[in-house]
Amino acid sequence: MKQLLLTLIVITIISSCFVLVKCKYMIYDTAPRIEPDKINVHLVPHSHDDVGWLKTVDQYYAGANNSIRGACVQNVLDSVISALIDDKNRKFIYVEIAFFERWWNQQSEVLKEKVKELVNTGQLEFINGGMCMHDEATPHYIDLIDQTTLGHMFILREFGQKPRVGWQIDPFGHSAVQAYLLGAEVGFDSLYFARMDYQDREKRKNEKTLEFIWEGSKSLGSSSQIFTGIFPRHYDPPDGFTFEINDVSDPIQDDELLFDYNVQERVNDFVEAAMAQVNVTRTNHIMWAMGTDFRYQYAVSWFRQMDKFIHYVNLDGRVNALYSTPSIYTDAKNAANETWPLKTDDFFPYADKANTYWTGYFTSRPTFKGYVRSMSSYYLAARQLEFYIGRNGSGPNTDALANALAIAQHHDAVSGTQRQHVAADYALRISKGYAEAEKIVASSLAFLTTSGSSDNYEKTAGMLQQCPLLNISYCPPSEAVLAEGKSLVVVVYNSLGWKRDEVVRIPVSTNELIVLDSGGKEIKSQLLPIFNASLNTRNYHVKAYLGKSPSSTPQYWLGFTVSVPPLGFSTYIISKAKHTDRCSTMSTVWTSDSTGDETVVVGGGNLKLHYATDEGKLTRYINNRNLVEESMEHSYSYYSGHNNTNQASGAYIFRPSGTFPIKSEGQKAFTIIRGPLMDEVHQPVNSWINQVTRVYKDKEHAEVEFTVGPIPVDDGIGKEITTQITTGFKTNKTFYTDSNGRDFIKRVLDYRTDWDLKVNEPVAGNYYPINLGAYVEDGSKELSVLVDRAVGGSSLVDGQIELMLHRRLLFDDGKGVGEVLNETICVVDDCMGLVVRMLSLYKMSINGL
């Protein structure tokens, strides 16, 4: 009986409490107000939604493949919009327009009107406003502009607004171009980010300089300045204030009839965290980023707690809390009339702790980086040609390629730090966009080159073929043997704003050819043999990409000079030569036997390169026009990737455990091909590195084609492959690298402008992103190196420029991707390490010339 009685009593009490709770309705005062005499804590609700990383962009949006990560952006937006509608005082910022546009297109007109009202009243604010939160190390500035423009156009079209604030909270280092070109010149009045070097952060916290004026361009001066803020920790709230449904932070329990009532305890926690942040910043305004990756999938769990904190903290009175946005926060900072310190240059390289430099991703996935860069150039041309003939609303257009390239600028896309299946998804999207843009290019060029009826134009468009695999010597239309009386017409388009005189090369299958311009004038041309190493690479990769072997085998490269007007095209006709004395010049081929100690000179114009036959090495660079003469050497080495479990080299991190020169295997023989347009030096460095150096007769730079891979790892050691161009320059530890292809920034070995650097990684800590090029100078002469895609590089030795070409590693670096950077390519079940082919140019000149 006693046990039964106790049970009845408990049930009665629970029932009574239930009735009391149900009847009680609490109204929280969350009206936004700024208190001039108190610390104001600006709570900024946000969700950082990666446009691809561990899952593809579609999987993240729809919530698929949740065995990898339970993330559904569609749920985030559904949930947030509902919560904002419920309470006019709540606010939320959103960044990734690639996701928001998808969501927007699925909504009813009734809901769209409600969302527009949220935007108009400032409850929902678009921050940054690009299609993605782009990387800042590896994209070209034109790609940054394009992806930002797409997002801003959507916001302006649908909401009539322009974003005010930059929000680059997750990229792994920050560029000067971001500050001025994608910041001040876009019209932003502030920029916020989270990641910065751990040594720099500690100094700034101690000196209260986490907020400052960033002047990203010396040439633009004060007009390039932007107010910039760095979070004192990451882009999440202080510990104890995350409220996703499965987070462990204690909620405010404010019903005195329930257990664990803790209002004062949690208010004290809030005030303590606020005062800690006040001690590392200036003015009485601080910002809390209330969110992190893929949060607010159940938004009420966040907003319920923030409602309570704002209400009870403000009743407490020690500090003032409010729903806010970065725009409101920036206005408050500006109103404080504080004098802010000035920052110049950039925030590279980034290390989050000792031995952990995020400089490996400057090179990670080099073939994807090259694909993005080449397709970006193609998109520029396709967009121009689309404009020439007018946009067809129902036919093919460049939108798919534009959107694919836009999300490829994401800080876990072109950076090379995504999982393999996500990298494949990005590439597939670009490929599909290219396939559609290819039709635009063919149609436009046919329209521009064809006279007569529309039937002739459509017929020509169907005949124009393009060669996206030309980098592996594969171009079926040029390889076909020309029938009697037939010709191959080559149309060359120039998307740049100045005339270009270049040498074009295409693979062909016969040697009796002649090249004429559109006026029938013979054009100087040259045939160069295609060697077996190139054919083997071609055959394997064609089968890997297309699923079938090539139907023909080209014998030669046909090179010929072209002259193309700005934003225009030129046409060339290739035909069978009727007379052997009027056909393309066959190159001469000379192969060293490495037994002599002679010097052989390469180059038919002003530029001469000297090679030592016994060593098979470049020894001297001479330019007869500007009278530059300097010793020069080209070499290779690799860094063994650190496999320490505390910090390994991986997709993000570059942490070498040693450096080893790569020497020629066996004989040091090399082959020289000479002709009227160019000379080539073919050097097989070893079984997995080949180098071709080209010297054009009418150019004053050398072009180097690297073919690297598959990198051997059967010894259990991951490798990071580098090349060095070494001169005798005395450069005083100083070199220059570009910022997103737009400006050059001075670098000094083992030095930072903003703090006294403690050197713990002498190699990785001196690596910088190179998008366009790098140079060194010694007061009178300058050596410049240009690249065709983003790579990492440095000048670790006076007079030397080092580039990292390729990486293949066997350990994950523990920075979140959870996958080893070990790319392969497969034909059916036959897989091998990835092979990368890239171009670099180098030139030596007198300073100022």
Side-chain angles (χ1 to χ4, degrees):
M1 286 295 294
K2 289 183 179 179
Q3 185 177 2
L4 177 60
L5 178 62
L6 287 172
T7 303
L8 291 173
I9 292 172
V10 171
I11 291 175
T12 303
I13 293 172
I14 292 174
S15 176
S16 174
C17 288
F18 174 76
V19 172
L20 289 172
V21 171
K22 185 175 181 180
C23 295
K24 183 178 181 181
Y25 180 71
M26 184 68 190
I27 298 176
Y28 299 104
D29 180 8
T30 59
R33 62 181 69 88
I34 288 179
E35 299 286 351
D37 298 324
K38 293 182 180 179
I39 301 302
N40 292 277
V41 184
H42 295 249
L43 304 182
V44 178
H46 79 103
S47 178
H48 174 58
D49 298 339
D50 289 303
V51 185
W53 179 35
L54 307 181
K55 306 199 296 187
T56 69
V57 59
D58 285 350
Q59 290 170 346
Y60 272 134
Y61 178 74
N65 209 357
N66 278 343
S67 61
I68 293 177
R69 170 81 187 254
C72 176
V73 175
Q74 191 173 20
N75 285 350
V76 171
L77 291 169
D78 284 342
S79 184
V80 164
I81 296 302
S82 177
L84 294 179
I85 291 172
D86 285 346
D87 189 335
K88 66 179 182 179
N89 291 329
R90 292 170 175 169
K91 297 185 184 297
F92 194 82
I93 63 170
Y94 201 72
V95 174
E96 294 84 5
I97 301 304
F99 283 135
F100 191 89
E101 185 176 20
R102 292 170 187 226
W103 179 86
W104 180 256
N105 291 336
Q106 296 173 350
Q107 306 311 308
S108 68
E109 291 303 318
V110 172
L111 184 58
K112 283 184 177 181
E113 288 303 314
K114 292 181 179 179
V115 174
K116 286 180 180 179
E117 181 63 20
L118 294 175
V119 174
N120 290 335
T121 59
Q123 277 189 266
L124 176 63
E125 184 173 345
F126 295 109
I127 302 292
N128 232 24
M131 299 300 283
C132 66
M133 186 181 295
H134 53 237
D135 184 40
E136 296 184 39
T138 57
H140 193 272
Y141 77 92
I142 290 178
D143 294 325
L144 299 181
I145 292 172
D146 284 348
Q147 85 88 14
T148 301
T149 300
L150 279 180
H152 284 205
M153 286 174 62
F154 168 81
I155 296 169
L156 186 63
R157 181 175 66 249
E158 299 295 337
F159 301 97
Q161 295 198 7
K162 298 178 182 178
R164 282 183 51 191
V165 175
W167 186 259
Q168 288 289 111
I169 58 175
D170 200 25
F172 327 116
H174 302 279
S175 74
V177 161
Q178 175 65 40
Y180 79 88
L181 186 63
L182 279 302
E185 294 197 344
V186 166
F188 291 166
D189 52 20
S190 57
L191 168 65
Y192 297 94
F193 60 83
R195 296 186 185 272
M196 68 179 304
D197 189 280
Y198 72 103
Q199 296 181 40
D200 192 9
R201 188 190 300 274
E202 286 307 307
K203 181 173 184 289
R204 289 181 179 275
K205 286 169 68 174
N206 292 334
E207 297 177 355
K208 294 189 175 184
T209 56
L210 285 168
E211 294 171 323
F212 49 88
I213 301 298
W214 191 357
E215 185 175 290
S217 170
K218 287 185 178 180
S219 59
L220 295 177
S222 60
S223 67
S224 69
Q225 293 180 354
I226 188 169
F227 176 79
T228 304
I230 307 170
F231 301 138
R233 41 176 289 154
H234 202 43
Y235 52 81
D236 53 357
D239 292 338
F241 295 93
T242 57
F243 300 108
E244 199 69 16
I245 197 167
N246 57 349
D247 282 336
V248 297
S249 298
D250 288 338
I252 287 186
Q253 204 293 84
D254 59 347
D255 191 331
E256 295 179 348
L257 298 176
L258 299 180
F259 290 166
D260 301 324
Y261 180 86
N262 64 354
V263 171
Q264 192 58 51
E265 177 186 345
R266 294 303 280 136
V267 168
N268 290 342
D269 294 339
F270 189 100
V271 173
E272 181 181 355
M275 297 308 297
Q277 188 165 334
V278 167
N279 289 332
V280 298
T281 189
R282 304 182 188 190
T283 81
N284 62 332
H285 294 275
I286 61 174
M287 183 198 303
W288 285 7
M290 298 300 292
T292 184
D293 296 6
F294 300 102
R295 294 307 195 260
Y296 292 79
Q297 296 189 67
Y298 181 57
V300 171
S301 67
W302 282 86
F303 283 115
R304 180 188 293 123
Q305 295 306 313
M306 286 186 287
D307 288 348
K308 293 182 179 183
F309 271 108
I310 292 171
H311 178 81
Y312 289 114
V313 165
N314 291 346
L315 283 178
D316 176 84
R318 284 175 287 172
V319 301
N320 181 61
L322 68 154
Y323 280 120
S324 188
T325 69
S327 298
I328 295 172
Y329 178 77
T330 300
D331 290 341
K333 286 288 186 176
N334 288 336
N337 292 320
E338 178 73 27
T339 299
W340 304 101
L342 183 69
K343 161 71 179 174
T344 58
D345 59 62
D346 62 8
F347 286 90
F348 288 115
Y350 158 59
D352 61 344
K353 60 183 179 180
N355 309 120
T356 309
Y357 277 91
W358 298 54
T359 53
Y361 80 97
F362 299 160
T363 298
S364 295
R365 300 193 187 276
T367 56
F368 182 67
K369 285 178 165 67
Y371 190 41
V372 170
R373 183 66 59 84
S374 64
M375 286 296 100
S376 173
S377 300
Y378 188 84
Y379 169 62
L380 175 63
R383 190 169 49 173
Q384 293 170 357
L385 290 166
E386 183 179 37
F387 174 80
Y388 289 156
I389 64 169
R391 190 176 175 88
N392 187 338
S394 60
N397 56 55
T398 58
D399 290 351
L401 182 56
N403 288 325
L405 286 170
I407 66 171
Q409 309 312 315
H410 171 57
H411 59 270
D412 279 308
V414 69
S415 58
T417 53
Q418 67 277 51
R419 287 195 173 180
Q420 184 59 55
H421 76 106
V422 181
D425 182 74
Y426 287 132
L428 178 62
R429 292 172 185 276
I430 295 172
S431 176
K432 287 180 175 292
Y434 166 80
E436 191 168 344
E438 186 180 40
K439 298 173 184 177
I440 291 290
V441 170
S443 178
S444 301
L445 289 176
F447 177 81
L448 295 171
T449 57
T450 305
S451 59
S453 67
S454 59
D455 290 341
N456 289 338
Y457 143 65
E458 291 176 1
K459 182 179 178 181
T460 302
M463 296 171 63
L464 285 175
Q465 300 179 57
Q466 298 166 56
C467 298
L469 298 181
L470 193 59
N471 67 313
I472 55 170
S473 317
Y474 183 66
C475 183
S478 70
E479 295 171 22
V481 177
L482 294 173
E484 195 65 37
K486 297 292 185 179
S487 299
L488 175 70
V489 178
V490 178
V491 182
V492 183
Y493 180 75
N494 176 16
S495 62
L496 301 180
W498 54 88
K499 177 186 175 184
R500 296 185 66 187
D501 295 306
E502 305 288 350
V503 174
V504 169
R505 302 187 320 136
I506 57 175
V508 296
S509 299
T510 182
N511 60 354
E512 296 177 353
L513 298 173
I514 186 171
V515 182
L516 306 176
D517 65 14
S518 57
K521 179 184 176 183
E522 183 178 353
I523 299 299
K524 188 180 293 185
S525 57
Q526 177 181 345
L527 289 164
L528 303 91
I530 299 179
F531 294 112
N532 287 335
S534 293
L535 290 175
N536 292 338
T537 298
R538 157 201 156 93
N539 293 339
Y540 186 91
H541 286 80
V542 167
K543 192 169 184 179
Y545 296 149
L546 303 182
K548 60 181 180 180
S549 298
S551 58
S552 62
T553 300
Q555 302 298 312
Y556 309 98
W557 283 104
L558 172 64
F560 57 97
T561 57
V562 299
S563 182
V564 195
L567 300 178
F569 66 93
S570 296
T571 305
Y572 297 88
I573 299 94
I574 300 172
S575 308
K576 273 190 172 183
K578 295 181 180 179
H579 305 284
T580 55
D581 59 341
R582 290 194 63 211
C583 62
S584 302
T585 302
M586 181 66 70
S587 302
T588 61
V589 179
W590 177 87
T591 301
S592 75
D593 58 9
S594 73
T595 57
D597 58 356
E598 303 172 359
T599 295
V600 60
V601 179
V602 174
N606 288 322
L607 177 59
K608 310 288 184 184
L609 301 181
H610 289 210
Y611 287 82
T613 58
D614 56 343
E615 291 290 325
K617 288 183 177 180
L618 173 67
T619 60
R620 203 151 195 83
Y621 178 108
I622 299 174
N623 187 318
N624 291 329
R625 185 189 63 82
N626 60 21
L627 302 180
V628 169
E629 182 172 351
E630 183 66 39
S631 62
M632 180 178 284
E633 183 177 341
H634 200 163
S635 58
Y636 293 85
S637 62
Y638 73 86
Y639 295 103
S640 54
H642 214 298
N643 60 7
N644 188 301
T645 54
N646 293 327
Q647 187 54 71
S649 230
Y652 297 95
I653 306 302
F654 174 33
R655 190 187 181 195
S657 63
T659 179
F660 304 90
I662 297 175
K663 298 181 179 180
S664 297
E665 297 174 353
Q667 296 295 312
K668 300 174 182 177
F670 60 97
T671 300
I672 296 176
I673 300 173
R674 301 181 189 274
L677 301 181
M678 71 189 91
D679 291 355
E680 288 188 348
V681 182
H682 290 247
Q683 296 174 277
V685 178
N686 58 23
S687 60
W688 49 276
I689 298 179
N690 275 278
Q691 174 181 305
V692 179
T693 303
R694 297 187 185 95
V695 180
Y696 296 96
K697 182 177 181 181
D698 296 326
K699 304 288 185 180
E700 295 186 5
H701 64 258
E703 177 182 283
V704 183
E705 178 183 281
F706 309 100
T707 303
V708 182
I711 299 172
V713 292
D714 49 357
D715 56 0
I717 298 173
K719 299 175 180 66
E720 307 176 70
I721 312 305
T722 61
T723 186
Q724 300 81 28
I725 298 177
T726 305
T727 70
F729 288 7
K730 303 300 181 183
T731 53
N732 194 29
K733 298 184 177 181
T734 302
F735 58 106
Y736 300 80
T737 64
D738 73 283
S739 179
N740 301 113
R742 189 169 171 88
D743 304 277
F744 279 87
I745 296 179
K746 181 179 178 179
R747 314 296 191 184
V748 179
L749 208 63
D750 296 331
Y751 176 79
R752 303 291 187 269
T753 57
D754 296 328
W755 78 95
D756 293 330
L757 176 67
K758 180 181 179 181
V759 179
N760 47 57
E761 286 288 338
V763 176
N766 285 296
Y767 253 63
Y768 291 87
I770 298 174
N771 267 278
L772 174 65
Y775 70 90
V776 292
E777 58 185 5
D778 71 348
S780 62
K781 295 189 290 290
E782 177 183 298
L783 169 67
S784 304
V785 177
L786 303 182
V787 294
D788 69 347
R789 71 200 67 191
V791 298
S794 187
S795 178
L796 301 173
V797 176
D798 258 18
Q800 181 186 92
I801 293 177
E802 175 173 295
L803 305 175
M804 184 178 288
L805 305 178
H806 198 359
R807 316 178 74 217
R808 189 180 185 190
L809 299 164
L810 302 179
F811 294 88
D812 176 51
D813 56 21
K815 294 305 176 183
V817 73
E819 190 174 87
V820 173
L821 184 67
N822 183 9
E823 295 182 278
T824 59
I825 185 169
C826 302
V827 174
V828 192
D829 294 327
D830 175 27
C831 298
M832 66 180 189
L834 192 72
V835 178
V836 59
R837 177 170 288 167
M838 63 176 67
L839 289 177
S840 176
L841 309 179
Y842 63 85
K843 179 180 180 180
M844 199 178 294
S845 61
I846 302 295
N847 274 354
L849 296 179

